Amino acid sequence: MNPPTVAIIVVAAGSGARLGGPEPKAFVTVNGVSILASALVTVFSLAEPAQVIVVAPAGKLDTADRIGRDAAGAASEYLSVVSGGATRQQSVAAGLAVLGDSVTTVLVHDAARSLTPSSLFDAVIAAVRDTGSGVVPGIAVADTIKQTDDAGTVLRTLDRSTLVAVQTPQGFPRAQLVDAYAAADREFTDDAAVFAAAGHPVTVVDGDRLAFKITTSWDLRRAESLTTNDTGIRTGVGMDVHAHDDAAPLWLGGLYWPDEPGLAGHSDGDALSHAVCDALLSAAGLGDVGDRFGTSDPRFAGAHGDVFINETIRLVKGAGYSVGNVAVQLIANRPKLAGRRSELERYLGGLVGAPVSVAATTSDGLGFTGRGDGIAVIATALLYRDR
Ligand code: CTP
Ligand code: MG
């Protein structure tokens, strides 16, 4: 294969002061993957193979080399790892010093923009070749931008239509970039500014929202939520059975049902409320009604369903979840739900703070529910983890 004509300098030598972690920023993980690894996996997946130069903190060269090799796989011959400088500009200069002879186009990329898609690299490379100029990805500015003095007094409103927020990778013809860096006599805020200061033209191509820079802990959380496989949605299932006790009143779903055979149990035997609680506890990973509401606990002796459901909701919220909905299936010959379904759903929905739907079926004369020995209830619950 021909040697690469593109090099990508990935600057990762900063400390990440604004993120404020114990590790330099590039080595902080997002859902278990370091910022550097995630940037490099993209860089090594481009349509065209490139020389990849990682600029790392002096004390992290071995770690950076290991991360680079993992990301490069079979392409590790194209990988170099060098030590960075005190400023970003010095770090870029350290990368420029090791460009391969065959390289004619150089991209400079912040490791901290670790979610940048490969399509943006491909677009910048193509634009450098098409235009022969410097190329920066830019995003139209959505907010109105004001200029202020040191005291915070607004001096003027800038014309937003002329402004773009600039990202990386920024791409350049090699010889002009190397000369511009050699000529730079002060610190600039990005590579395109170094390039422009040497008198070379720079053009803007469409940036990508995913190329945002992880700077603060808020950005880190945003990167986490964009890459997580965990939706924060949890389902749970609950089931309860109680035997009929003709001498007892029937309490079901927290409501009193006159003229119906009651249910035996330590509390009021309300299998429907207990199944709802089990489903909610199951979804939150909090065990079950038996664990949480011991039969020896005097608070629950003779208690009705609302006591159990209220306490369950308190536990579920305490574990950081909100209820999406609860669905209940009653398997019983009696009571017939039809006349009171909406009353029951409204009552339970009020306790749970979310929609509760209740359906019923018989078991076609089979088993204990078919014989009318007792009732069975199955419930499912959906929870959302709070942000
Ligand atoms: N960078 C670098 N060498 C430096 C400073 C910065 O290679 N001396 C790199 C960073 O690692 C980062 C990119 O330049 O990938 C953009 O810089 P920034 O987001 O400012 O990162 P840090 O300088 O590490 O963060 P902070 O400014 O909060 O300390
Ligand atoms: Mg910085």
Side-chain angles (χ1 to χ4, degrees), residues 199-235:
H200 303 303
V202 178
T203 45
V204 177
V205 296
D206 285 343
D208 192 306
R209 299 257 167 224
L210 285 173
F212 71 94
K213 184 157 68 77
I214 298 174
T215 304
T216 61
S217 57
W218 193 90
D219 302 320
L220 194 67
R221 283 202 300 280
R222 185 166 158 219
E224 270 163 2
S225 69
L226 284 164
T227 53
T228 186
N229 293 321
D230 182 350
T231 58
I233 297 173
R234 296 286 181 278
T235 70

Side-chain angles (χ1 to χ4, degrees), residues 256-294:
Y256 174 56
W257 300 71
D259 308 321
E260 290 286 343
L263 295 164
H266 159 70
S267 58
D268 61 0
D270 183 346
L272 197 156
S273 295
H274 301 169
V276 167
C277 293
D278 265 343
L280 291 163
L281 293 169
S282 151
L286 290 172
D288 55 40
V289 170
D291 294 340
R292 293 281 160 181
F293 309 102

Side-chain angles (χ1 to χ4, degrees), residues 106-357:
V106 178
L107 269 56
V108 182
H109 183 53
D110 294 331
R113 299 179 190 273
S114 59
L115 301 188
T116 305
S118 61
S119 56
L120 192 60
F121 290 86
D122 294 334
V124 169
I125 293 167
V128 173
R129 287 182 175 146
D130 282 355
T131 62
S133 68
V135 172
V136 296
I139 299 252
V141 176
D143 296 316
T144 293
I145 309 282
K146 307 236 184 240
Q147 200 167 26
T148 63
D149 64 14
D150 289 346
T153 307
V154 172
L155 302 176
R156 62 183 66 82
T157 300
L158 302 180
D159 177 4
R160 191 171 66 196
S161 69
T162 66
L163 299 174
V164 283
V166 164
Q167 305 173 318
T168 76
Q170 301 188 350
F172 309 91
R174 174 203 182 135
Q176 291 168 24
L177 182 67
V178 169
D179 288 349
Y181 260 83
D185 53 2
R186 59 188 176 89
E187 285 291 319
F188 293 88
T189 57
D190 70 349
D191 310 292
V194 174
F195 192 76
H200 303 303
V202 178
T203 45
V204 177
V205 296
D206 285 343
D208 192 306
R209 299 257 167 224
L210 285 173
F212 71 94
K213 184 157 68 77
I214 298 174
T215 304
T216 61
S217 57
W218 193 90
D219 302 320
L220 194 67
R221 283 202 300 280
R222 185 166 158 219
E224 270 163 2
S225 69
L226 284 164
T227 53
T228 186
N229 293 321
D230 182 350
T231 58
I233 297 173
R234 296 286 181 278
T235 70
V237 63
M239 153 86 174
D240 198 25
V241 169
H242 278 282
H244 278 303
D245 173 356
D246 291 343
L250 178 65
W251 286 85
L252 197 65
L255 299 181
Y256 174 56
W257 300 71
D259 308 321
E260 290 286 343
L263 295 164
H266 159 70
S267 58
D268 61 0
D270 183 346
L272 197 156
S273 295
H274 301 169
V276 167
C277 293
D278 265 343
L280 291 163
L281 293 169
S282 151
L286 290 172
D288 55 40
V289 170
D291 294 340
R292 293 281 160 181
F293 309 102
T295 48
S296 59
D297 189 330
R299 282 183 301 164
F300 305 118
H304 294 307
D306 58 329
V307 175
F308 289 86
I309 294 176
N310 284 335
E311 177 62 7
T312 298
I313 292 295
R314 199 184 64 76
L315 291 169
V316 163
K317 288 194 168 149
Y321 291 98
S322 301
V323 184
N325 78 305
V326 171
V328 180
Q329 176 84 50
L330 170 68
I331 304 154
N333 295 343
R334 293 176 69 176
K336 297 293 172 211
L337 263 191
R340 297 186 74 185
R341 184 200 311 269
S342 52
E343 179 195 357
L344 184 58
E345 291 182 341
R346 250 195 332 274
Y347 180 69
L348 292 171
L351 293 176
V352 164
V356 177
S357 56

Side-chain angles (χ1 to χ4, degrees), residues 11-18 25 85-88 91 110-112 213:
V11 284
S15 63
R18 286 169 286 180
K25 185 160 72 181
T87 65
R88 184 183 181 283
S91 293
D110 294 331
K213 184 157 68 77

